[in-house]
Each structure stands twice: as C-alpha cells, then as structure tokens.
Amino acid sequence: MKRILRSIALTAMLFVWMPVQAQAAGFLVPVGEVIGLQLGSDTLTVVAYDDALGAAARDAGLKIGDELVKIGEKNIGGPEDIRSALQAQSSDVILTVRRGSKLSTLHMTPCQTEDGPRLGVYLRQGIAGIGTVTYYDPETGYFGTLGHGVNNSKGGLLNMTEGSVYTASVQSVKKGKSGEPGQLKGSADGSVPFGVLLRNTDRGVFGISTQGWQGQPVPVAEFEEVQTGPAIIRSTVSGGTPREYSVEILKIYPQSRQDARNFLLKVTDPQLLELTGGIVQGMSGSPILQNGKLIGAVTHVLVSDAATGYGIYIGNMLDAAA
C-alpha cells in the first residue's frame, strides 16, 4: 500500500516569501527553546514496505532509501502524481528511482486494491524533527535555529519547498556516552503552526514567527571578541523551559570555516552532564553567550566524547540568513 508519512511526533534534528536580510543584527534575543520543525520537499523517499502488499516492490528491486523520480514518463513531485500515474497504466509500470547519485529503472506490477493500484511501500515527503532556537529579532520577527542545515536521505542539503514551525516540548532524554551520541525526544504541543520556515542552509534554518519569544536582547559579538575560556549555553533539555549551563571554549577556528565548526567547546556544567552526558541531538541551535554577548550556536557533538562539540559563529549564521 502506498502511503505518505506525515507524522509530527518529533525526534531530534523541522508560503509567502519575505526578505530575511531585513533583520537587524545589532541586538538579538538568545532563545534556547525547543521547537518542532516540518520541512516539505519535492522528493518522495521509500522508508518501509507494506506488510501485506510489499512483496511486489521487493521483487522489483525497490529499496529502502530509493527516491521516486518518475512513473512511466510522469515526473513525481507528490502523492497525487503517484495516483494519477498508476491509474494511467494498464498493468506493469516502469519506475525511475534515484539511488545515491545514480538513476535506475525498475519494472513492477502494482498491487490492485479496492482503492486502486498501489506500489506497496510507505513513502516520506519532507522531514520533521525538533531543534533549538538560537536567536529571535523582536523588531522583525525573524529567527534562526540549528546552526547547520537539514539534510535529505542521501546526506545532501534538503531542497526545502515549504516549512512550518510548531511549539514543542522535550519528553525524554537519551543520555550521550562515548561512541554513542545522545538524543532529546520531543513532541509537538499543537497542530497549528506559529511560523514559517524560509530558508534551509548549511549554516542554519531560518524563518519568521507570528508569536516570537520573550527575552532581553543582547549584543551580537564581533568574531574578534570571542575568547577561549568560560561561556554559557542556553538549552531546553526537559519540558519547555530553557536554562543556562556552563561550558568552556577550548579552541577557536577561522571565521572563514564554512562547516558550522568555528568553536570547539566542552560542557562543564555538572547538572547538564548528569542530565544528558553533555551535548545531544536536539540541542543544535542552543545559543552560546560570552561576556554578555551572543557569540554563536551549538552545532555538533564529538562521537568519541559526548561532553565536547562544536559551535558556529553567530555572524556566519546571520550571513547565511541574509
């Protein structure tokens, strides 16, 4: 049975165009709250076989992770394209799929059901997850989150066609340890979005909120002001309320580095280490502050050391949003 998965039960990672570069970057609110992100795309990816109808897809060679490109001569951009393409075929169909960087063609006979022909697989369109809001500009409504991009199933940057933002809360924490990154597990608190996502980039995901976040705006630091030594991060690791935790900036890399790794940092806060083991998935985007200024966001954790990870310089996020 061909189905499209649209769940907003969230795991860690989430319109009208408006010019993001309109935001004022001198003072921003460091947020640290978890939000639900739903990113739509123009690709459909096979994520599972239907228990009853999946044999034909398996026999045809359709694999988990394949991206459905065409049925016959019809390009596939959504579920309606699949329905109309299958109904237009009398028996066998030719599927064009993207597997890695290569296109392949497969021949299969769709399953005939009371609801019409079906491929017998579950498909996913877009990605849903949670992330942490780095900053909010109360003058414009613009915000940034994650500090890195959301990737597709092939590891490349997801081509986001639309996106929505939902309130969310952390339900549980899988504690990180050496060799095994931890994870925040959360869920959306409502089905009505309170903002839209405008851009998915390799240095963050950016959007505009209709309700915003409370907080005192702080200055945005120049790169030369960032120092090794004590700093704090603002994160939500339980419920929906952010807290501040102590970290140490161990090393500063060049601002020109484009892989969202401008700082090497280590969690030193005993309470956060007890709760999470350090940096876990879902904390991406947690704002980093030093000497009263916003300097960046947490982006990655070291697999070999859950207490240690990387951060991106806030100026690089703002440049990506512009």
Side-chain angles (χ1 to χ4, degrees):
M1 183 179 296
K2 184 278 301 169
R3 301 179 186 173
I4 306 298
L5 299 184
R6 296 183 181 278
S7 173
I8 194 69
L10 303 174
T11 55
M13 342 211 200
L14 61 170
F15 50 69
V16 178
W17 171 258
M18 299 183 71
V20 180
Q21 62 266 31
Q23 63 189 358
F27 286 78
L28 298 170
V29 175
V31 180
E33 288 189 23
V34 168
I35 56 171
L37 305 171
Q38 191 163 33
L39 288 76
S41 73
D42 55 1
T43 59
L44 291 168
T45 304
V46 178
V47 293
Y49 300 106
D50 184 87
D51 290 341
L53 305 176
R58 286 192 183 91
D59 292 344
L62 197 59
K63 296 183 179 296
I64 306 301
D66 282 352
E67 201 173 277
L68 193 56
V69 177
K70 286 184 179 183
I71 297 179
E73 296 299 318
K74 186 173 183 62
N75 293 320
I76 303 302
E80 291 303 323
D81 294 332
I82 296 175
R83 294 189 188 97
S84 61
L86 291 178
Q87 289 170 356
Q89 304 292 320
S90 58
S91 56
D92 291 359
V93 296
I94 298 176
L95 306 179
T96 303
V97 300
R98 180 176 290 109
R99 187 174 296 164
S101 60
K102 297 181 179 180
L103 291 178
S104 302
T105 56
L106 307 173
H107 296 257
M108 75 168 289
T109 303
C111 303
Q112 299 300 322
T113 73
E114 294 180 356
D115 298 320
R118 296 290 185 265
L119 294 178
V121 294
Y122 292 89
L123 300 168
R124 180 179 66 196
Q125 185 171 24
I127 293 176
I130 62 170
T132 300
V133 181
T134 305
Y135 69 84
Y136 170 65
D137 186 343
E139 293 187 7
T140 63
Y142 292 109
F143 69 91
T145 181
L146 294 184
H148 58 71
V150 174
N151 288 343
N152 57 30
S153 60
K154 304 300 185 295
L157 196 66
L158 180 77
N159 179 29
M160 186 183 77
T161 57
E162 60 181 359
S164 301
V165 185
Y166 298 83
T167 58
S169 59
V170 176
Q171 303 300 311
S172 63
V173 178
K174 176 187 175 184
K175 194 171 180 179
K177 56 186 179 181
S178 179
E180 188 177 342
Q183 184 181 52
L184 301 180
K185 296 183 180 181
S187 64
D189 296 330
S191 59
V192 179
F194 70 90
V196 294
L197 299 176
L198 305 175
R199 187 170 296 176
N200 177 33
T201 78
D202 57 3
R203 286 174 282 172
V205 177
F206 306 96
I208 187 167
S209 168
T210 56
Q211 67 184 38
W213 294 269
Q214 298 296 317
Q216 180 64 41
V218 300
V220 172
E222 298 292 336
F223 188 75
E224 294 74 18
E225 296 179 278
V226 183
Q227 305 170 350
T228 55
I232 61 172
I233 62 172
R234 185 170 293 170
S235 296
T236 303
V237 297
S238 63
T241 304
R243 293 190 57 181
E244 292 186 349
Y245 301 98
S246 60
V247 299
E248 183 176 0
I249 306 294
L250 301 177
K251 188 173 183 179
I252 300 172
Y253 300 97
Q255 181 181 354
S256 58
R257 188 166 174 169
Q258 299 298 306
D259 59 359
R261 292 175 172 89
N262 297 118
F263 316 130
L264 180 67
L265 58 93
K266 188 177 186 69
V267 175
T268 56
D269 194 285
Q271 185 176 14
L272 186 59
L273 290 170
E274 176 63 27
L275 289 170
T276 67
I279 300 169
V280 298
Q281 296 175 34
M283 287 173 61
S284 291
S286 297
I288 310 171
L289 298 105
Q290 188 178 61
N291 298 322
K293 295 186 177 183
L294 179 61
I295 67 169
V298 175
T299 57
H300 299 82
V301 61
L302 288 179
V303 175
S304 60
D305 181 2
T308 305
Y310 292 96
I312 185 174
Y313 170 55
I314 186 62
N316 287 350
M317 285 187 71
L318 294 172
D319 286 346

